[in-house]
Amino acid sequence: MVFHHIGIACKNIEKEILKLKKIHSIKFQSEIVFDELQNVHLCMLTLENDFKIELVSGVTVDPFIKKGITNYHICYETKNIDEEIEFLLSNGAILASPKKEAILFNGRQVAFLLVSYGLIEILQQ
């Protein structure tokens, strides 16, 4: 697995982008899209140093936001999502969301798992 991005939960993506622009140089900003499978709005930002942040808003992350939790997930990219899921499950991870197509990543497969340090997203290369 290779680090890909962090996911940040926010109430309003447009307002969060304005806040981030005050402290970071953003060299790429995707369109804000609605992912029906995850029931959230999403936007991918790439900062000047190529660090990627995915902004996530909607009913799926509202419980986190209400508790003041904005660090939502860490995403890792993998060559074989099925093997990676099996490996993680065999080492104590819990499947939080089965594989599905991700609109923000052009239909590439993603899955979410709970591990000891929080929620991770696995993204098929």
Side-chain angles (χ1 to χ4, degrees):
M1 292 190 304
V2 176
F3 175 80
H4 189 269
H5 70 266
I6 61 167
I8 302 295
C10 61
K11 193 158 193 71
N12 180 295
I13 289 177
E14 292 90 354
K15 288 181 181 179
E16 194 65 31
I17 290 169
L18 292 175
K19 290 177 192 175
L20 287 167
K21 282 183 175 181
K22 289 180 181 180
I23 57 175
H24 296 287
S25 294
I26 297 173
K27 74 178 194 181
F28 173 78
Q29 175 184 326
S30 76
E31 291 184 38
I32 298 172
V33 297
F34 181 71
D35 188 328
E36 291 181 19
L37 296 176
Q38 297 185 60
N39 201 21
V40 292
H41 286 88
L42 304 164
C43 180
M44 183 63 71
L45 304 174
T46 304
L47 306 184
E48 191 172 273
N49 61 2
D50 291 329
F51 188 81
K52 294 178 183 165
I53 298 173
E54 178 184 29
L55 298 176
V56 184
S57 71
V59 297
T60 302
V61 296
D62 282 345
F64 295 96
I65 294 167
K66 287 177 183 174
K67 293 178 182 176
I69 300 168
T70 57
N71 291 322
Y72 179 51
H73 69 264
I74 298 174
C75 178
Y76 297 98
E77 194 171 34
T78 184
K79 291 180 182 178
N80 188 317
I81 193 169
D82 293 318
E83 285 180 8
E84 203 63 56
I85 291 169
E86 287 305 315
F87 172 77
L88 291 166
L89 291 173
S90 70
N91 284 285
I94 298 168
L95 189 63
S97 175
K99 268 190 331 185
K100 61 183 92 175
E101 291 184 1
I103 189 170
L104 190 62
F105 300 112
N106 300 315
R108 290 162 59 191
Q109 296 279 307
V110 297
F112 289 85
L113 295 100
L114 288 169
V115 296
S116 63
Y117 56 88
L119 186 65
I120 63 170
E121 176 181 21
I122 304 299
L123 171 64
Q124 177 69 47
Q125 279 186 336

